[in-house]
Amino acid sequence: MNLPYFIAKRISDPGDNSFSAVIHKIAIASVALGLAIMMIAFFVLGGFQENIKDKIFSFSGHIQIKKFSLNNSYEEEPIVIDADRMAALLEDPYLDHIQEYAHKPGLISKEGEVYGVIFKGVTPNFNKSLFDKYMVEGEFISFNDSTSTDVMVSSKMAKNLGLKIGDKVINYFIMDPPKTRRVTVKGIYSTGLDTFDDQMMIGDINVVRSLNSWKDDQVGGYEVYLKNIDDIAAADDSIIGKLSIEHYTERVDDKFVQIFDWLNLLSKNVSIFIWLILLVASFNMVSVLFILIMERTQMIGTFKALGASNSLIRRIFSYNGFRLVLKGLLVGNAIAIGFAFLQDFFHIIPLDAANYYMEYVPIDWDWSVTIGLNLLTLILVSLVLIIPTAIIARIKPVTAIRFD
């Protein structure tokens, strides 16, 4: 029989009205609240980061393939990847999807109101499944044998110009000479990111081809989606090796470097926050165990008088503290997962989309982080429990038995 564990189990369940019961509840609450706050912080941070990244990826892919050019405008030089190189790209183990695009700056006008836009031409293989979550009203543009006049505008554009589904507007393209196209609003989207919502209009790539007098196989560039975004560096090197010397690649984290640096900074801030919480939880557990040892001073003296070693008594209190930590972990997980479930499915905490780029607090179910936080809390707090048990060696049996 494990004697220290048996004794720890007997003394770990004090009466409901005893002082020890209050201390036990404080210890459990300390660990539970600390773990719950850490888990919720990572749930929300992960959800926020993934939400922002998904919005960027839906408009830009993970990697863009372009043609070298000294032109710094929104327009691209036409590019064509030959059949052999395209076949090699499609067989790349990192690549999941590739789609064509082309940009053309212009203006849209309705009833005297003028709004600057970037017309983004896409093809039927556009990744609509990733974009559907940002649809507010209407549907995605339809493609036909001829050039489609359907377009999608952001909710901000629609609000500023009073546009609704089915409205027809004139799109002016700044060229020499200027050209116009009459387009129909087919759908309205909203990402919450001003980078896209302020100016991006989505339409048929054939509109850009006809304006620029491009051939049917010419495009402004290619957007590449990867199977795993964590492989973006290796995938970029792999893709470059399959392109001609006149083409180059641009990673999305380089194109929107400020946004990604900001998201990385948030991760560092949360990491500091996590360590502070762990420090507080560890300090609380040390304080609690000190109190429990002081309360059981007479018991310690009796055990020593009966011949119990210091290591045996220390293990009794270590087991006791470990049981409190486990109970705290169970309660903390229940609180964090319960809150995350309610928020993820019912969106009980809303946000101002104008300031936070989303309408509610997002949740990212990253179970590896959850398991890691539980293990980190368990190991760190259990280790610091060694500190207060060191005082047991300094307790003398005669003094302890007479202690009141």
Side-chain angles (χ1 to χ4, degrees):
M1 181 179 67
N2 190 336
L3 181 60
Y5 178 75
F6 173 77
I7 298 175
K9 187 176 180 181
R10 293 295 297 270
I11 68 174
S12 66
D13 188 20
D16 293 337
N17 298 322
S18 67
F19 178 69
S20 294
V22 177
I23 297 301
H24 281 204
K25 291 177 181 178
I26 292 175
I28 293 172
S30 174
V31 175
L33 289 177
L35 178 64
I37 291 172
M38 289 189 294
M39 289 176 60
I40 292 172
F42 270 102
F43 282 152
V44 174
L45 174 66
F48 187 78
Q49 290 178 322
E50 291 303 313
N51 197 296
I52 297 295
K53 290 178 181 179
D54 284 346
K55 291 177 179 182
I56 296 175
F57 297 152
S58 66
F59 272 91
S60 304
H62 298 132
I63 298 174
Q64 292 184 339
I65 301 174
K66 302 178 180 180
K67 183 177 181 179
F68 279 108
S69 172
L70 298 177
N71 185 4
N72 293 323
S73 69
Y74 285 103
E75 295 187 58
E76 305 91 5
E77 292 291 332
I79 176 177
V80 177
I81 296 181
D82 60 66
D84 292 338
R85 294 184 186 275
M86 180 58 71
L89 283 174
L90 294 176
E91 293 176 357
D92 192 293
Y94 296 108
L95 190 145
D96 182 56
H97 177 73
I98 186 169
Q99 61 192 34
E100 304 85 354
Y101 73 92
H103 292 116
K104 191 75 173 177
L107 302 169
I108 55 175
S109 174
K110 184 185 178 185
E111 298 177 356
E113 294 291 334
V114 178
Y115 200 96
V117 299
I118 302 298
F119 186 96
K120 179 176 181 177
V122 299
T123 62
N125 70 338
F126 181 80
N127 195 345
K128 292 187 288 186
S129 61
L130 185 62
F131 191 82
D132 282 344
K133 67 180 75 175
Y134 307 117
M135 292 290 298
V136 175
E137 188 179 353
E139 57 187 23
F140 199 80
I141 64 174
S142 58
F143 296 90
N144 47 51
D145 295 337
S146 59
T147 301
S148 174
T149 60
D150 294 339
V151 296
M152 292 186 59
V153 299
S154 70
S155 57
K156 182 177 291 187
M157 295 181 196
K159 180 179 179 181
N160 290 339
L161 292 174
L163 296 175
K164 57 183 182 296
I165 301 300
D167 281 357
K168 298 183 182 298
V169 294
I170 302 297
N171 203 331
Y172 297 89
F173 294 97
I174 304 171
M175 305 174 65
D176 187 18
K179 295 181 181 180
T180 63
R181 292 292 186 273
R182 187 179 182 86
V183 295
T184 304
V185 178
K186 184 78 170 182
I188 298 175
Y189 71 88
S190 176
T191 66
L193 291 178
D194 293 340
T195 304
F196 306 120
D197 289 357
D198 279 350
Q199 56 187 5
M200 200 66 69
M201 171 188 284
I202 301 175
D204 190 344
I205 195 173
N206 286 323
V207 173
V208 180
R209 285 172 175 157
S210 64
L211 291 168
N212 293 340
S213 300
W214 287 356
K215 297 178 180 179
D216 291 342
D217 59 347
Q218 290 181 314
V219 298
Y222 297 87
E223 293 172 343
V224 177
Y225 289 87
L226 306 178
K227 295 177 181 178
N228 188 348
I229 184 59
D230 294 333
D231 297 329
I232 189 169
D236 189 39
D237 292 338
S238 177
I239 292 172
I240 290 176
K242 296 177 175 64
L243 301 177
S244 67
I245 58 174
E246 62 178 359
H247 301 154
Y248 74 100
T249 60
E250 184 177 28
R251 289 168 42 173
V252 68
D253 53 349
D254 291 332
K255 183 175 182 179
F256 299 98
V257 62
Q258 292 180 333
I259 295 178
F260 281 85
D261 284 346
W262 170 54
L263 294 177
N264 291 333
L265 181 62
L266 290 178
S267 297
K268 293 180 181 178
N269 291 340
V270 170
S271 297
I272 296 173
F273 176 66
I274 295 305
W275 283 108
L276 289 175
I277 293 177
L278 284 172
L279 179 63
V280 172
S282 300
F283 177 80
N284 288 340
M285 281 302 301
V286 169
S287 301
V288 165
L289 206 56
F290 266 127
I291 295 173
L292 293 177
I293 291 173
M294 294 298 293
E295 188 188 23
R296 297 282 181 174
T297 300
Q298 288 184 334
M299 185 192 77
I300 294 172
T302 302
F303 280 158
K304 284 194 172 186
L306 293 173
S309 64
N310 287 327
S311 62
L312 184 145
I313 300 174
R314 290 180 67 172
R315 278 186 289 163
I316 291 174
F317 286 95
S318 295
Y319 281 135
N320 196 12
F322 189 74
R323 286 170 61 88
L324 294 177
V325 174
L326 287 179
K327 290 180 180 179
L329 292 180
L330 290 175
V331 176
N333 278 280
I335 294 173
I337 294 175
F339 168 82
F341 177 83
L342 292 174
Q343 179 60 30
D344 195 24
F345 286 91
F346 300 104
H347 306 157
I348 56 178
I349 302 180
L351 292 176
D352 182 4
N355 295 321
Y356 295 97
Y357 312 119
M358 55 198 73
E359 297 179 349
Y360 57 86
V361 174
I363 298 295
D364 178 41
W365 295 98
D366 191 339
W367 297 111
S368 61
V369 171
T370 301
I371 296 172
L373 286 175
N374 276 269
L375 290 176
L376 180 62
T377 305
L378 178 63
I379 294 172
L380 183 62
V381 177
S382 298
L383 286 175
V384 299
L385 292 179
I386 299 174
I387 299 174
T389 59
I391 197 175
I392 293 173
R394 305 181 62 179
I395 297 177
K396 297 180 179 179
V398 175
T399 305
I401 292 174
R402 296 169 57 186
F403 179 81
D404 187 2

